[in-house]
Amino acid sequence: MSEQQIKITLAQLNPTVGDVTGNAAKARAARERAKADGADLVVLPELFIAGYPPEDLVLKPAFQSACRAEIEQLARETADGGPAMLIGTPWVEDDKLYNACALLDGGRIAALRFKANLPNYGVFDEKRLFARGPAPGPVTVRGVRIGVPICEDIWLEESEDYENVVECLAETGAEILVVPNGSPYARDKADLRLSIAVARVTESGLPLAYLNEVGGQDELIFDGGSFVLNADLSVAAQLPAFEENITTLVWRKTVDGWRCSGPVAPQLEGDKADYAACVLGLRDYVRKNGFPGVLLGISGGIDSALCAAIAVDALGADKVRGVMLPFRYTAQVSLDDAAKLAAALGIRYEVLPIADAVNGFEKILAPVFAGLERDITEENLQARARGTLLMAISNKTGAMVVTTGNKSEMSVGYATLYGDMNGGFNPIKDIYKTEVFRLSSLRNSWKPDGALGPSGEVIPVNIITRPPTAELRENQTDQDSLPPYEVLDAILERLVEREEPLADIIAAGFDRDVVTRIDRLLNIAEYKRRQAAPGVKVTRKNFGRDRRYPITNRFRDFGKALPAPDEKLVTRGSRASADAFEG
């Protein structure tokens, strides 16, 4: 390092949870790249050696030991005189487990920093896994004092148990803030991250490098999008989203402190970002779990069409198999559209009529159902026959079944257990039906960088414009059972994402009967959602990690105005405080 310069490499990489050796190999390769660039320091994301989030795996002593052994080996390798490495790892010290960053330099572990603020909301559950670290000071690399707040350490909130890590680092002499993160994707999350970083730079007067993980881990997508802010709040560098990237940045010391400049990659926003998240999520779920490919039912409808396009973009046409499973209610237009979709995407495609299976089930059940009217039970036999056949092909070939229900259907239970809900993963589980239409139209005019599918129109326009139908009975449409999707999704967004009281939704202009009915369907479908396949998280509140409601639950909001709290009923000293012990 020259007197007025330091080179820092940001390694925005995609780890795999539990693949300690593989993650160490990625870190080693990133360091070699940084060394070739003449870097002084290479930085990797939060808990990189373990993969993030490790969940309860991190409590396993054998796993903790494996992570430490790899960190120690990486530390030995820094004796070669190359760049120092700052890498996230679980770390046990004094019988406590920490979310740590280790500075490896000169053949040893030169410093350790422990995460002080542990998130415990939404998808995060760190307080039950890790001990809280002490207020940290900066680490020194080539004479430069670098502050290392870890992810939540910069997401400052007004709270008694929240350590102002950035303030502490500034007061103890930090010159540059380097923030390793495991920050999962949600719609418009990039703007929120930037605003948080701006606030910390404004408070501390220090430049900040925000390094984020990239890749899919079960339902979570990490979108990368790492960036650097100079102390004057100018964007010094921006890494691309949804892809691995290693960038070395040159920092120079000026009279006003350290500054850097680098490439600024354009960022995906809105529907484009959501689509890219779905592609990355499916790709990593399939590849990291070792499936040779995927298959899905192609119905001629828009949900399966969008999922097929996502699958081809994620894996390539040679890894995707489409199966049309028609019955007597399947319209010829559905058969035609399904065939056109498969041809446009270039996937293997076959038609397997299910009449023999459905008629066989009905014949077996005839004595049991004697004297009973035909109803939804017979409709669901079609869906369950399809689900059984898809799972049989999966068993035989090893390919994973992609299930294709959207968030609107998952919300109100408009799906059949052990039928169309069968499958290993759902790329559109967190995408409402109105968004399915938008993403389908979008895909016909655009695809993300790195997508493996063909360009141009891949989803026949008729699939997008045709009224949605499950085709389980004659002339059926979704709107026979549900309000228009524009209305349904607007109500669901208020119920699910915002947790609004029914009275507020009704006051906003929605019909009382429709709102109460949708709320009832949302509540009684919880048992179905517990049995649904995992799927990509896109919204701020997905079903599963974000929204965990009891299945057995008798509370109902009947849409009445909420009573105001009556503070007169609260006895002085009843709250848990010193007042409670006054004589």
Side-chain angles (χ1 to χ4, degrees):
M1 186 198 79
S2 65
E3 184 179 354
Q4 297 296 113
Q5 177 177 295
I6 185 170
K7 290 184 177 181
I8 299 176
T9 299
L10 300 181
Q12 178 179 287
L13 297 179
N14 184 350
T16 298
V17 167
D19 186 8
V20 180
T21 302
N23 296 338
K26 277 181 170 282
R28 191 172 288 115
R31 184 172 182 270
E32 286 301 310
R33 170 79 172 274
K35 185 177 181 180
D37 290 345
D40 301 290
L41 173 67
V42 57
V43 186
L44 293 112
E46 179 179 12
L47 286 178
F48 184 81
I49 202 70
Y52 189 82
E55 300 186 71
D56 283 11
L57 176 63
V58 80
L59 300 177
K60 198 176 184 69
F63 182 68
Q64 298 165 2
S65 296
C67 291
R68 179 161 184 157
E70 289 291 352
I71 291 295
E72 290 175 346
Q73 179 55 34
L74 288 169
R76 294 184 190 101
E77 294 170 16
T78 61
D80 64 0
M85 176 184 289
L86 187 65
I87 183 169
T89 182
W91 193 266
V92 177
E93 191 163 295
D94 298 329
D95 295 323
K96 292 182 179 180
L97 176 64
Y98 294 98
N99 180 337
C101 269
L103 178 66
L104 316 180
D105 196 17
R108 63 193 180 92
I109 300 173
L112 288 162
R113 290 296 178 264
F114 301 147
K115 191 173 183 177
N117 297 313
L118 303 175
N120 216 59
Y121 54 85
V123 303
F124 302 107
D125 196 18
E126 290 196 25
K127 286 186 178 179
R128 64 183 292 272
L129 300 176
F130 298 106
R132 180 178 179 180
V139 301
T140 301
V141 179
R142 310 297 187 266
V144 180
R145 295 185 300 277
I146 295 177
V148 188
I150 303 172
C151 199
E152 187 76 7
D153 285 342
I154 72 166
W155 290 66
L156 188 64
E157 295 175 352
E158 294 300 324
S159 171
E160 291 180 0
D161 64 349
Y162 199 104
E163 184 73 46
N164 194 325
V165 173
V166 171
E167 181 180 90
C168 180
L169 289 167
E171 290 175 350
T172 52
E175 300 171 75
I176 299 171
L177 299 175
V178 173
V179 190
N181 291 270
S183 179
Y185 174 77
R187 193 175 295 143
D188 301 324
K189 185 76 168 288
D191 290 340
L192 179 59
R193 292 189 196 121
L194 183 60
S195 68
I196 293 294
V198 165
R200 301 294 84 79
V201 171
T202 300
E203 293 167 3
S204 66
L206 299 176
L208 181 151
Y210 185 102
L211 173 66
N212 195 24
E213 177 182 333
V214 69
Q217 171 57 30
D218 295 345
E219 295 182 299
L220 299 183
I221 309 304
F222 297 89
D223 52 317
S226 307
F227 60 88
V228 178
L229 292 179
N230 284 319
D232 62 4
L233 303 180
S234 60
V235 177
Q238 175 81 65
L239 275 55
F242 302 106
E243 62 184 71
E244 290 189 309
N245 184 278
I246 299 175
T247 296
T248 299
L249 299 170
V250 179
W251 295 71
R252 292 182 174 84
K253 194 167 187 180
T254 71
V255 293
D256 297 317
W258 289 94
R259 292 183 63 86
C260 89
S261 61
V264 177
Q267 297 297 292
L268 296 179
E269 297 178 344
D271 289 342
K272 288 184 176 181
D274 286 354
Y275 188 88
C278 293
V279 170
L280 179 57
L282 180 61
R283 175 185 294 147
D284 274 0
Y285 192 86
V286 170
R287 291 182 177 176
K288 291 181 179 181
N289 286 292
F291 293 104
V294 299
L295 71 142
L296 70 163
I298 301 292
S299 67
I302 193 167
D303 295 327
S304 63
L306 179 60
C307 287
I310 290 170
V312 172
D313 283 343
L315 306 168
D318 61 321
K319 298 289 195 301
V320 181
R321 181 176 188 169
V323 185
M324 162 56 95
L325 299 155
F327 191 52
R328 63 173 174 265
Y329 303 122
T330 303
Q332 184 61 45
V333 66
S334 297
L335 290 161
D336 294 342
D337 285 344
K340 290 176 183 176
L341 171 77
L345 290 170
I347 62 175
R348 177 176 177 176
Y349 174 71
E350 50 228 322
V351 180
L352 303 178
I354 64 170
D356 288 348
V358 176
N359 294 336
F361 281 134
E362 291 200 16
K363 183 177 179 181
I364 293 169
L365 290 166
V368 181
F369 289 176
L372 301 175
E373 294 290 329
R374 292 181 68 86
D375 58 16
I376 196 172
T377 305
E378 285 76 16
E379 293 183 14
N380 286 340
L381 283 177
Q382 300 166 54
R384 292 187 170 120
R386 292 181 174 114
T388 297
L389 292 171
L390 290 173
M391 292 306 298
I393 299 171
S394 175
N395 276 171
K396 187 64 72 174
T397 65
M400 185 196 76
V401 176
V402 171
T403 183
T404 63
N406 60 69
K407 190 171 187 176
S408 306
E409 294 172 349
M410 291 296 100
S411 297
V412 297
Y414 195 64
T416 304
L417 272 176
Y418 325 120
D420 57 313
M421 288 178 65
N422 277 6
F425 195 78
N426 183 349
I428 64 168
K429 183 180 180 181
D430 204 28
I431 302 288
Y432 286 114
K433 186 76 169 191
T434 48
E435 295 160 352
V436 168
F437 285 105
R438 294 207 312 267
L439 293 187
S440 298
S441 296
L442 170 67
R443 179 56 183 85
N444 279 346
S445 60
W446 167 89
K447 66 177 182 178
D449 291 341
L452 301 177
S455 300
E457 183 181 302
V458 294
I459 300 176
V461 173
N462 190 58
I463 289 179
I464 300 173
T465 58
R466 184 181 170 208
T469 172
E471 293 192 320
L472 297 178
R473 61 177 180 268
E474 206 72 59
N475 300 318
Q476 181 187 27
T477 67
D478 291 1
Q479 301 324 182
D480 297 340
S481 306
L482 300 170
Y485 279 114
E486 293 79 5
V487 175
L488 174 64
D489 290 355
I491 293 172
L492 288 173
E493 196 274 336
R494 290 169 179 266
L495 286 171
V496 177
E497 272 75 41
R498 303 190 210 174
E499 296 275 17
E500 287 188 8
L502 266 60
D504 290 358
I505 301 173
I506 295 165
F510 294 94
D511 181 82
R512 173 181 291 275
D513 291 341
V514 173
V515 171
T516 54
R517 176 170 172 258
I518 297 308
D519 181 64
R520 177 180 176 277
L521 292 174
L522 177 66
N523 281 291
I524 65 176
E526 185 63 36
Y527 80 101
K528 285 189 178 182
R529 290 190 290 271
R530 291 288 184 96
Q531 300 178 70
V536 175
K537 170 181 161 62
V538 169
T539 67
R540 293 289 177 90
K541 188 168 287 190
N542 74 331
F543 291 122
R545 298 181 70 101
D546 281 322
R547 188 183 188 275
R548 288 169 274 184
Y549 269 60
I551 296 173
T552 305
N553 169 21
R554 288 195 176 184
F555 177 78
R556 294 294 182 268
D557 177 356
F558 296 105
K560 298 178 181 178
L562 300 177
D566 189 346
E567 291 292 342
K568 294 178 181 178
L569 295 178
V570 181
T571 304
R572 182 177 181 273
S574 64
R575 296 178 177 85
S577 68
D579 291 344
F581 301 100
E582 290 184 1

